[in-house]
Structures are given as structure tokens and as C-alpha cells.
Amino acid sequence: MRVLVTGGAGYVGSHMVETLLAASHDVVVLDDLSTGHRDAVSPKARFVEGDVGATADVAALLRDERIDAICHFAAKIRVEESVSAPRLYWQGNLVRSLALLEAVLASPTPPAFVFSSTAAVYGTPDEVPIDEDHPKRPESPYGESKLAVERALESYGRAYGLRWSALRYFNAAGANAEAGLGERHEPETHLIPIVLDVAAGTRPSLSIYGTSWPTPDGTCVRDYVHVSDLCEAHLAALRHLVTGGASAAFNLGTGRGRSVREVIDAVKRVTGRDVPVLEAPPRAGDPAELVAKVERAEKVLGWRARRTELDTVVRDAWAWKVRAKQG
Ligand code: UFG
């Protein structure tokens, strides 16, 4: 396949480029480098610096590169930022995705479309684990913008025959250190990279956002899924679509929840370092527990996360950090 990866210079996108290349696909990356890193893109991929919302340019790219499928990663991803600066999310995530879809639908043979969605479409769940039919009540413009794109995909599929998958990531984590890839957000807000910075001594301490949640140890529970497993799920979704499989949304998680304290313990075990913590008030908008029900992806796509031990996720993220520091 010839696959266009939007946001291929970002965290999950850059890992996907490696996965596609390793599976002998041709890859074109489209990224505006607003948050991504040019050096994260494999030299074996063609790199185009540009805006996914520039419909005419993207339509020309799809035609000239004879693109068979698109993995659309390019997006804004910070829940808190989406509350204070919602325009970035409605414009960046919804308007740009709709403009990209205009280019897709203008193709004589529209490429299959795999969309990076999020567990944030559910909001605070009624019960965990969460299945795909759980009511969608996003609690931030970030979650709203992702859900709105999903709704567009559903209606475009029905009306225009667009083939799509929406992959709802739970907590993407880990790295592919051998490929020189890892998580590099600026600023960093995600738990595992922050805890690793504390272990490495580049941050003084970790603030635990809330210690009296209704969870076994009082800290929030999340479903951390290895980025390499996410990439394998995208490959499975692409195969499913190009072989005539039905369009649908899928949760991508491990089905197992881990608390903030369990993550801290894993980091201590893996690094052999201490992690000083401060107990801080809860962060606005954080639900107590988010864990995926993963049966649909297993049944329909034949995908299941393989790197399910928290220590594996942490060890790979740490390996990348150590390697990046050594330059
Ligand atoms: N946490 C801390 N201290 C920190 C950072 C995080 O205690 O310094 C806690 C958070 O409160 C949360 C957990 O660690 O309970 C994980 O936090 P992250 O910021 O790593 O991830 P979130 O679960 O908040 O968000 C992730 C993605 C979002 C997505 C969401 C969907 O980053 O893009 O999952 O569930 F919307």
C-alpha cells in the first residue's frame, strides 16, 4: 500500500511510519511541524511539510502519490489547553479534518481512512471497562472535536461510501528506542514521561493529582497501551478496510487499569531510582478510572495488545530517554 500519514512527525505518527515501512509499505508524511519533530521521520518516507486542511494541495498529493490509505494522526491533544483555547481544537481538529476529508472524497477512488480518536469521547464512564457503545459525553473541546470527526466519518460512510476506522486510544505510552523514537511533547503533561524525568533527576518531584479518588489506592486508574501495539492495531485496521471490512470505531487499550502509584512503582523498579512525590489536588476534568473493553478490536481486527506489562511500557520509554540523552 501507499499510505499517507498525517502528523507523521508526532509521537504515535512517527512510530506508525516505522511500522508501515517495516511491513514494506510506501509512506508519505504530511506534517506542519507545529508540534512534531522533523528528525522523528524516517528518511525512507517522503516528507511533505504542509497543512492537512489545505484541500487542493492534499487532493493533488493524493492523486500524484496514488495514495491507497490515510492514517490521520495530525491533531492537537491537550485536554486542558482545549478548555482554555478551544478555537485551536475546533479549527485544528474538526475544521482541518473536514477539509482533509474533502480532498479524500474528491479522489476518484477515495483512500481508506484511519482516524486517531480517543477515550476522551466517552467522558466520565458509567462503568468500566468501557465498550464502544457506551454513551459519548465528552467533557472537553478536545473530546468534542474528536467525536465530531467520528460523526462526520459515520455519515460520509453512509452517504458517500467512505471506508473508515476510528481508533479510540486509551493512554498511549512507551517507545521504540531501537528506532530512535519516543514521546517528546512540549510542554510534557503525560504521566509516564514526567515520572521518568523525576527518576532521571531533570524534575524535582511528581505531583500526584488527587489521592482520594474512589479507586483501590486512591489515585487515578488508566489503561496504558504501548505505542507499538497501537501501530499494530492501525495496520490491522488498514488491512481490514482494504479487504472490504466494515467501517467502525474500536477501543485500543489493554483492558487492564493501573493507578498512578502503580506507575510510580514500575518506574522505581525499572530505573532503580527514587521518585519523590507531592500530593496535589485533582486536575480539572480527570475521571477516576478509564479502562477499555477490548473485545471488539480482537474479534473484528484480530488485534490484541501484546506488550501489556507496565514494566515493559516503562522500560521501553526509559530506554528511549537514556538513548536520547546520550545523543
Ligand atoms: N497525573 C498525575 N501527575 C502528573 C501527570 C498526570 O498525577 O504530573 C495523572 C493524571 O491525573 C491521570 C494520569 O496521571 O490520572 C494520566 O495522566 P495523563 O496526562 O498521562 O493522561 P490522561 O489520562 O489525562 O489523558 C490521556 C491522553 C489524552 C486523552 C485521554 C483520554 O493524554 O489525550 O487520555 O482518556 F484525551
Side-chain angles (χ1 to χ4, degrees):
M1 276 185 282
R2 295 182 62 78
V3 183
L4 177 68
V5 179
T6 76
Y11 171 41
V12 187
S14 61
H15 285 77
M16 188 63 201
V17 171
E18 286 296 326
T19 300
L20 286 163
L21 292 169
S24 303
H25 297 295
D26 292 324
V27 180
V28 179
V29 169
L30 176 61
D31 197 302
D32 66 4
L33 297 180
S34 56
T35 53
H37 307 277
R38 178 67 184 85
D39 63 4
V41 181
S42 167
K44 294 188 196 123
R46 178 172 172 218
F47 180 77
V48 178
E49 184 172 343
D51 178 359
V52 299
T55 302
D57 295 346
V58 177
L61 188 67
L62 297 180
R63 187 188 60 230
D64 296 346
E65 294 286 345
R66 291 173 286 108
I67 296 295
D68 302 304
I70 300 177
C71 292
H72 178 36
F73 294 95
K76 297 273 171 203
I77 60 155
R78 285 168 49 206
V79 174
E80 277 190 325
E81 181 185 60
S82 80
V83 175
S84 58
R87 289 165 66 195
L88 290 178
Y89 287 74
W90 291 112
Q91 289 291 332
N93 292 359
L94 178 59
V95 173
R96 283 206 172 76
S97 295
L98 293 178
L100 170 63
L101 286 168
E102 287 302 299
V104 170
L105 293 173
S107 289
T109 48
F113 196 86
V114 178
F115 175 59
S116 299
S117 190
T118 170
V121 299
Y122 298 113
T124 301
D126 296 332
E127 54 184 16
V128 288
I130 307 167
D131 73 20
E132 287 85 350
D133 296 324
H134 185 283
K136 316 298 177 297
R137 295 180 300 241
E139 286 162 6
S140 65
Y142 169 69
E144 296 272 13
S145 69
K146 289 284 183 176
L147 182 60
V149 177
E150 284 199 21
R151 301 281 198 234
L153 292 172
E154 280 166 23
S155 59
Y156 288 7
R158 270 195 299 273
Y160 311 125
L162 180 73
R163 295 163 297 152
W164 60 272
S165 296
L167 304 182
R168 297 178 184 148
Y169 312 164
F170 279 64
N171 287 63
N176 180 351
E178 297 79 55
L181 297 175
E183 195 167 359
R184 264 197 279 172
H185 294 118
E186 199 45 61
E188 190 53 79
T189 59
H190 294 93
L191 179 64
I192 292 178
I194 289 177
V195 183
L196 290 175
D197 282 345
V198 176
T202 53
R203 283 177 200 256
S205 60
L206 170 78
S207 295
I208 301 180
Y209 297 141
T211 52
S212 46
W213 294 93
T215 59
D217 69 14
T219 65
C220 281
V221 169
R222 294 290 182 273
D223 184 340
Y224 295 91
V225 55
H226 198 293
V227 63
S228 299
D229 283 326
L230 289 181
C231 293
E232 288 172 7
H234 284 71
L235 262 193
L238 285 171
R239 276 195 212 109
H240 172 75
L241 290 177
V242 299
T243 55
S247 298
F250 300 95
N251 285 342
L252 300 184
T254 65
R256 257 186 89 172
R258 323 290 182 139
S259 72
V260 174
R261 290 203 196 279
E262 284 179 282
V263 170
I264 296 167
D265 289 343
V267 168
K268 288 182 181 167
R269 265 196 308 276
V270 167
T271 65
R273 312 268 183 100
D274 193 24
V275 176
V277 301
L278 298 173
E279 296 193 358
R283 186 169 64 176
D286 272 350
E289 192 171 358
L290 289 173
V291 179
K293 200 160 195 294
V294 294
E295 278 69 18
R296 185 187 286 181
E298 184 166 18
K299 208 167 127 205
V300 179
L301 303 179
W303 172 86
R304 199 179 178 89
R306 297 192 291 143
R307 302 155 184 90
T308 53
E309 291 307 315
L310 192 51
D311 284 23
T312 307
V313 172
V314 168
R315 197 188 57 227
D316 290 354
W318 179 244
W320 179 76
K321 211 167 255 296
V322 169
R323 194 179 272 223
K325 205 172 168 192
Q326 287 163 351

